[in-house]
Amino acid sequence: MLSSIILKPVKAIFGNRPGRGFLIAGTIIVLAVVIMAIFAPFIAPYNPTAISSDTFSPPCWKHIMGTNRLGQDVFSRIVWGSRIILYVVLVATAFSMVLGIPVGLVSGYYGGKLDRVLSTVMDSIYAFPALILAIVIAVVLGPSPMNAAVAIAFVYVPTYFRMIRGQTLSLKGQLFVEAAKAIGARDREIMLKYILPNLIPTILVVFSLSVADAILTEAGLSFLGLSVTPPTPDWGYDLRVGQAFFLDGYWWLVFFPGLMIMLLAMAFALIGEALSERTSTSAR
Amino acid sequence: MSRGITQYVLLRALMIIPTVLILYTIVFIFMRILPGNPILAVVGTKSISPEQMKHLMHLAGLDKPLYVQYFDYLWQLLHGNFGVTLAFPMGVPVADYLRLRFPATLELTIWSFAISVILGLLTGTLGAVKRGTKLDTSMRLYSIVAYTLFIPWFGMILQYIFGVWLHILPTSGRINPNVNLHTITGLYVLDSILTGNWSAFVSSIKHLILPSLTLGIVLSGAYTRLVRNNMVEVLNQDFIRAYKARGVKDWKVTWYALKNAFIPVITLMGLQFAILLGGAILTETTFNWPGMGTFIIDRIEYRDYNAIQGAVVFFAFFVGLISLIVDVIYALLDPRVKY
């Protein structure tokens, strides 16, 4: 009984500490991967697609993450592979935001029949397994990183739409919006000047969490062979190739690409978690 | 009361229809209206004569106008017909495959679901009871790490540990091929109990452990977070303090709090089941599990649009059914819900 009374103020002061730790850890990992992607030619010790006779070498000083069946350096492939996953995920997320945010805003603001139809469609897509839908779209469009991005963008539009629509609904009834209306602000002005700025914290939280999801979906698509084509280095695809050999003991072919996928997704999830705590918007 | 709930269930069941229609329409648009000929996609680089092409198009019903194809398929669906396969073997009802493959996926998802809920409740409760401590932070970290594990990677690590190093668990398939099992429901564990087949029971459980653990752990993270936050809220409420003041044992208080924190968790279960099905595709691929996921992947190899469309529509039905069940359970448990 006493403990919960004492704990509350203590938590209020120190409650931010794990949150801050999460934020810092997440940011460091994301920055590290971004730097890796930008400076790939200088960081990678070998050409990621160069074939050599030094096949299946376990991690050693010459190849810190070993080599694969073609004698390619796993570390160099991981460094270069960061480019593909960041590219696909960022393009996809940008698409989803460009579609989901304005449509959610307009739908929530005006309401009515259009809103009901849009909500039903978005809810149906949202409730369906994202990966399965992304697979179907990627199959039809054909395997390429850009098509994978389109598929991922499509399945994450409802995430933004639903969040923005819900927030707009609750914001439009608030006093400051009423006041703006009273002084004669037009709908467009209210949406862009009064509601949208208030949505930015939500957008940031949804962005980091949906990027984490998108990373796993991208990795899933390329693991299933629906993104890059060989010999392009890519984490998900390299994991798929490694699967054929790792049970024979070549664990490094699987361990490092998968670890990178998890770290990158985790970094964005950590940032999202910390941000959602700070902005006190529950993200789910 | 009982009439009220029946009506609620029926009305709620009707809401599955727009969901299935919307998903069918999306898939149809992507597969048929986008340029590209499904038959050409199947035969690939092999050249076939125009007559053969015409014949194949006719067999698959692709020579009709698009809107006719759209409504034809809906009409077939009403009769439980999910279309026929386009690619090798051609012309087999997709429903036959679904009947064969779906029980495998269902068995995998039921076990994974149970594991994820149990783990989520355990870790979430721990975090809430010890809130503000290092244990609480580690549980939050567990929630995030579990959520962001890449399923094939995590699955392969478990395969490596338990299959290669320790050599105690099988890494692929549903059952030892030397074990004979008479299937009734297609759920192997249940079937082996029904037929009293001990060796099949052991073998199917052994094959289930790694895939369902993989999927279950990955999905438990979302519950951890929700259970923890709900529990913290409930633990701060007056009735809990009253219990504590009266000297009710700690574990009993925790149990009462957990019961109260559980209701919102039920809502999450519906959504989690959808994620579970998505994750099942990757789990099945990793563990060579002969379910819906590997079926879809097989069909992708052949570019069999019909089979993929059938599988998606079936999944849409299933997802709708699960969310119906979740909503009904919620309505029954929470007296505030009016039906």
Side-chain angles (χ1 to χ4, degrees):
Chain A
M1 172 188 61
L2 260 176
S3 69
S4 67
I5 298 169
I6 299 167
L7 225 83
K8 235 184 167 178
V10 171
K11 225 187 104 193
I13 300 164
F14 293 101
N16 262 347
R17 273 185 58 193
R20 194 170 57 199
F22 284 4
L23 195 61
I24 293 170
T27 313
I28 288 175
I29 299 173
V30 171
L31 281 180
V33 175
V34 169
I35 289 170
M36 210 159 97
I38 295 174
F39 298 106
F42 307 104
I43 295 171
Y46 298 90
N47 178 344
T49 53
I51 295 169
S52 79
S53 56
D54 193 4
T55 60
F56 290 124
S57 156
C60 58
W61 285 116
K62 228 173 120 201
H63 301 282
I64 55 169
M65 293 182 183
T67 62
N68 65 11
R69 127 192 100 110
L70 299 171
Q72 295 159 335
D73 181 51
V74 174
F75 177 64
S76 302
R77 290 186 68 79
I78 288 209
V79 170
W80 280 92
S82 63
R83 286 190 167 189
I84 300 278
I85 194 161
L86 283 177
Y87 161 76
V88 170
V89 166
L90 291 180
V91 168
T93 313
F95 269 143
S96 321
M97 284 169 87
V98 164
L99 271 170
I101 294 173
V103 177
L105 192 61
V106 169
S107 189
Y109 185 77
Y110 287 110
K113 248 186 202 153
L114 182 75
D115 177 50
R116 239 175 301 155
V117 172
L118 278 173
S119 297
T120 314
V121 173
M122 294 291 179
D123 285 351
S124 304
I125 301 173
Y126 186 75
F128 194 76
L131 182 63
I132 298 179
L133 200 55
I135 288 173
V136 171
I137 298 170
V139 167
V140 175
L141 299 178
S144 87
M146 190 60 197
N147 291 342
V150 170
I152 296 167
F154 186 88
V155 298
Y156 287 109
V157 169
T159 311
Y160 287 95
F161 172 87
R162 283 165 48 103
M163 208 64 195
I164 296 301
R165 177 185 171 271
Q167 293 266 312
T168 308
L169 270 180
S170 67
L171 281 172
K172 80 172 180 185
Q174 284 189 16
L175 212 58
F176 73 97
V177 175
E178 300 283 332
K181 266 187 202 160
I183 59 167
R186 279 167 307 161
D187 286 342
R188 237 185 76 168
E189 216 174 327
I190 294 174
M191 278 191 271
L192 293 179
K193 278 196 187 153
Y194 293 84
I195 296 182
L196 191 60
N198 281 293
L199 295 175
I200 288 171
T202 311
I203 293 173
L204 277 177
V205 173
V206 180
F207 170 80
S208 5
L209 291 177
S210 80
V211 166
D213 275 348
I215 286 166
L216 295 169
T217 309
E218 195 277 342
L221 287 182
S222 58
F223 176 73
L224 297 171
L226 295 170
S227 178
V228 300
T229 38
T232 316
D234 174 74
W235 299 349
Y237 194 82
D238 282 5
L239 193 66
R240 169 200 174 93
V241 175
Q243 190 188 12
F245 306 102
F246 89 104
L247 281 178
D248 301 327
Y250 306 122
W251 55 270
W252 56 91
L253 298 182
V254 159
F255 182 75
F256 295 113
L259 185 70
M260 291 309 295
I261 294 167
M262 188 196 78
L263 281 177
L264 190 58
M266 192 182 75
F268 279 103
L270 285 172
I271 294 174
E273 173 93 6
L275 284 181
S276 84
E277 201 169 68
R278 271 149 198 250
T279 58
S280 70
T281 37
S282 67
R284 256 167 205 277
Chain B
M1 160 90 190
S2 69
R3 241 193 73 198
I5 187 79
T6 321
Q7 215 170 29
Y8 174 79
V9 173
L10 283 176
L11 273 176
R12 184 57 192 71
L14 281 179
M15 284 162 64
I16 296 179
I17 297 173
T19 309
V20 173
L21 264 181
I22 288 165
L23 277 155
Y24 163 58
T25 311
I26 291 171
V27 173
F28 187 87
I29 289 173
F30 270 107
M31 290 196 161
R32 294 295 153 74
I33 296 180
L34 282 181
N37 176 334
I39 300 287
L40 218 56
V42 171
V43 295
T45 48
K46 276 177 283 175
S47 58
I48 56 172
S49 69
E51 290 84 45
Q52 260 179 312
M53 175 59 96
K54 227 175 159 183
H55 177 66
L56 287 174
M57 293 280 277
H58 180 71
L59 267 183
L62 293 168
D63 51 349
K64 294 177 197 156
L66 277 176
Y67 70 92
V68 176
Q69 288 182 35
Y70 180 85
F71 289 109
D72 265 2
Y73 191 76
L74 277 182
W75 183 244
Q76 285 180 29
L77 275 180
L78 279 178
H79 299 84
N81 183 346
F82 286 83
V84 295
T85 53
L86 275 185
F88 174 83
M90 202 181 151
V92 179
V94 175
D96 287 2
Y97 279 105
L98 299 182
R99 220 168 287 137
L100 198 70
R101 298 298 197 109
F102 180 62
T105 299
L106 187 65
E107 186 162 47
L108 173 65
T109 44
I110 288 173
W111 283 71
S112 313
F113 184 71
I115 290 173
S116 69
V117 172
I118 291 168
L119 276 177
L121 287 176
L122 275 177
T123 49
T125 309
L126 257 175
V129 172
K130 304 276 175 201
R131 64 189 174 284
T133 64
K134 275 202 175 118
L135 193 67
D136 183 19
T137 312
S138 356
M139 287 305 136
R140 280 182 67 186
L141 204 59
Y142 166 83
S143 150
I144 294 173
V145 172
Y147 184 77
T148 54
L149 282 172
F150 186 49
I151 290 171
W153 180 67
F154 185 47
M156 285 182 215
I157 287 180
L158 291 185
Q159 285 178 335
Y160 200 82
I161 295 172
F162 294 98
V164 178
W165 269 357
L166 303 175
H167 237 289
I168 46 175
L169 288 171
T171 56
S172 89
R174 285 183 78 189
I175 198 163
N176 186 336
N178 299 325
V179 175
N180 244 327
L181 176 66
H182 176 68
T183 52
I184 304 164
T185 59
L187 306 172
Y188 284 3
V189 175
L190 187 64
D191 284 347
S192 50
I193 293 173
L194 288 176
T195 54
N197 189 336
W198 176 247
S199 56
F201 179 74
V202 173
S203 175
S204 54
I205 293 262
K206 269 187 169 175
H207 281 80
L208 259 169
I209 293 175
L210 290 185
S212 55
L213 216 54
T214 305
L215 197 49
I217 288 176
V218 171
L219 279 141
S220 66
Y223 292 109
T224 308
R225 183 195 153 99
L226 188 68
V227 170
R228 183 217 170 256
N229 292 347
N230 287 338
M231 277 282 276
V232 166
E233 223 167 87
V234 175
L235 283 172
N236 276 328
Q237 278 175 16
D238 288 341
F239 77 98
I240 293 290
R241 289 190 197 168
Y243 278 136
K244 283 188 183 167
R246 250 187 272 154
V248 177
K249 284 196 187 81
D250 272 358
W251 66 266
K252 259 193 169 164
V253 174
T254 308
W255 173 245
Y256 292 137
L258 185 60
K259 277 208 307 204
N260 275 277
F262 191 65
I263 291 180
V265 175
I266 296 171
T267 321
L268 180 67
M269 288 181 176
L271 269 182
Q272 280 289 98
F273 219 93
I275 303 177
L276 198 66
L277 289 176
I281 289 212
L282 294 174
T283 314
E284 288 178 7
T285 318
T286 310
F287 288 93
N288 214 355
W289 189 266
M292 295 282 287
T294 37
F295 171 65
I296 292 177
I297 302 304
D298 278 354
R299 292 290 115 183
I300 286 175
E301 304 276 320
Y302 295 113
R303 306 270 164 222
D304 188 338
Y305 285 7
N306 265 12
I308 298 170
Q309 177 177 307
V312 169
V313 171
F314 181 78
F315 266 134
F317 267 120
F318 186 61
V319 168
L321 188 70
I322 293 292
S323 82
L324 166 71
I325 294 170
V326 167
D327 279 3
V328 170
I329 293 175
Y330 190 86
L332 286 174
L333 288 182
D334 192 338
R336 283 169 301 182
V337 177
K338 291 206 177 72
Y339 36 77

